[in-house]
Amino acid sequence: MSIKVENITKVYGSQKALNKVSFEVEKPEIVGFLGPNGAGKSTMMKILTTFISPTEGTAEVNGHTITTEAKQVQQSVGYLPEHNPMYLELYVREYLAFNADVYKVGKARIEEVIALTGLMPEAHKRISQLSKGYRQRVGLANALLHNPDVLILDEPTTGLDPNQLVDIRNLIKTIGKEKTVFLSTHIMQEVEAMCDRVIIINKGEIVANKKLSELREGQEQIVIVEFDYRVEDAFLLKLPNAKSVKNTFDFIYEITFSTTTDMRSHVFDFAHDNELKILQLNQKNASLESMFRDLTS
């Protein structure tokens, strides 16, 4: 078991940030830790990385207890906090070399993580010169330097533009094939794009713990598509298994299908046959969004 949390409670003064939280995460698995702002996500992650101690309860990371084996936990975890502190005046390789010395890992590993995280085009620059997306890559590279078995990522895609989002998502999915990735987010699309399982926390308590495959069973499928031109609803309703169409904004449509089969290829073919350009094409997990709203409202 990569992560095992048992009855963790954290109290700040009169406020109970976490209340008897318990869950487990196995390897390899990408688990999304969801919840509204202030639900306790960051507090849980700080406890798992030994940055703060729980008021009650215990947890293990890679078999090491967070309260009595803090150093071993730190050595086996790669952590990317939401607001990643970095020495902006340092060059990328210089910053990674500094941390490589801290972790006591060979300099060859620096080039490995630069390649793994796609930093090569910007590796010659100071961190202050990098975009938000590349700074996140530096943070991921730093978290991977010592080749940890567990990655804990707090809001890893916050503030990224659409292109950067795709790159970071793909990187996390690749890492998750071999390692345990535990990431916090409040964005449903991030969970659908990356995660195997979702844990939802609200007001310091776990309110759901389900595999994404379970949430998709028997659900209607919603495809969000943006064309370069307006399309009549009646034409979109001719798509196989199309149940309803909603024009949400300008040329953006939400098409509900009465099937769990991925219908994006059919929408793509429709656009091609009608000489339309697709500007975006995404799936929407209606069950996940509905469950999140019901459990956190």
Side-chain angles (χ1 to χ4, degrees):
M1 196 66 61
S2 290
I3 299 174
K4 185 176 183 180
V5 175
E6 294 182 317
N7 295 314
I8 288 287
T9 295
K10 181 63 179 179
V11 179
Y12 297 103
S14 60
Q15 180 183 359
K16 188 173 286 188
L18 296 171
N19 184 27
K20 297 187 181 301
V21 172
S22 299
F23 61 86
E24 296 179 351
V25 182
E26 298 187 12
K27 177 185 177 181
E29 188 178 24
I30 303 178
V31 175
F33 196 41
L34 277 71
N37 292 331
K41 302 189 299 296
S42 293
T43 296
M44 186 74 255
M45 292 191 155
K46 289 175 182 177
I47 289 173
L48 289 176
T49 54
T50 74
F51 185 74
I52 60 175
S53 299
T55 305
E56 296 176 11
T58 187
E60 293 182 3
V61 180
N62 284 324
H64 302 296
T65 305
I66 58 170
T67 51
T68 59
E69 300 174 280
K71 186 174 182 180
Q72 291 90 330
V73 171
Q74 293 164 9
Q75 290 172 338
S76 64
V77 167
Y79 179 42
L80 178 63
E82 180 180 3
H83 303 292
N84 187 22
M86 291 186 284
Y87 297 111
L88 301 182
E89 71 278 8
L90 296 184
Y91 292 92
V92 171
R93 284 189 173 87
E94 188 180 10
Y95 174 73
L96 294 175
F98 169 79
N99 286 288
D101 287 339
V102 173
Y103 288 125
K104 294 182 171 58
V105 299
K107 294 297 188 288
R109 180 62 180 167
I110 296 172
E111 296 306 315
E112 289 177 9
V113 297
I114 284 175
L116 178 63
T117 55
L119 271 170
M120 193 64 71
E122 304 290 298
H124 63 286
K125 294 183 178 180
R126 293 183 189 271
I127 294 175
S128 60
Q129 296 176 294
L130 301 181
S131 66
K132 170 70 173 176
Y134 274 103
R135 290 190 191 187
Q136 286 295 81
R137 289 172 190 256
V138 173
L140 277 172
N142 185 52
L144 290 165
L145 260 178
H146 56 304
N147 199 25
D149 291 321
V150 175
L151 272 181
I152 295 179
L153 312 176
D154 195 356
E155 303 283 356
T157 58
T158 297
L160 303 186
D161 66 35
N163 291 329
Q164 294 166 343
L165 274 174
V166 172
D167 290 342
I168 296 298
R169 283 176 185 169
N170 290 337
L171 175 58
I172 291 172
K173 286 169 69 175
T174 299
I175 294 169
K177 292 177 181 178
E178 297 180 354
K179 301 179 182 295
T180 298
V181 180
F182 185 65
L183 65 92
S184 77
T185 183
H186 57 272
I187 304 172
M188 299 298 105
Q189 292 90 336
E190 298 307 295
V191 177
E192 293 186 67
M194 293 186 286
C195 299
D196 305 306
R197 182 157 57 97
V198 57
I199 297 173
I200 300 178
I201 187 171
N202 188 45
K203 297 179 180 178
E205 298 183 356
I206 300 295
V207 293
N209 186 346
K210 290 182 177 290
K211 289 186 177 293
L212 263 292
S213 57
E214 295 174 356
L215 292 174
R216 292 189 179 107
E217 289 178 0
Q219 75 172 46
E220 294 178 337
Q221 178 188 172
I222 298 176
V223 172
I224 303 171
V225 59
E226 181 178 4
F227 299 113
D228 64 335
Y229 196 80
R230 184 170 299 281
V231 180
E232 293 296 329
D233 294 359
F235 288 109
L236 293 172
L237 284 169
K238 292 180 180 179
L239 286 163
N241 301 305
K243 183 179 177 181
S244 64
V245 174
K246 181 180 179 182
N247 181 205
T248 58
F249 181 77
D250 281 349
F251 307 146
I252 302 176
Y253 299 84
E254 287 191 3
I255 310 170
T256 301
F257 295 93
S258 55
T259 177
T260 56
T261 302
D262 191 341
M263 298 300 292
R264 285 176 295 180
S265 61
H266 292 273
V267 177
F268 182 87
D269 290 342
F270 169 86
H272 177 269
D273 294 343
N274 290 277
E275 298 182 347
L276 295 166
K277 291 182 181 178
I278 289 181
L279 305 182
Q280 65 164 305
L281 183 61
N282 300 299
Q283 277 184 317
K284 181 177 176 181
N285 191 324
S287 293
L288 179 58
E289 288 202 1
S290 176
M291 183 177 70
F292 182 86
R293 286 195 302 269
D294 291 343
L295 293 174
T296 62
S297 60

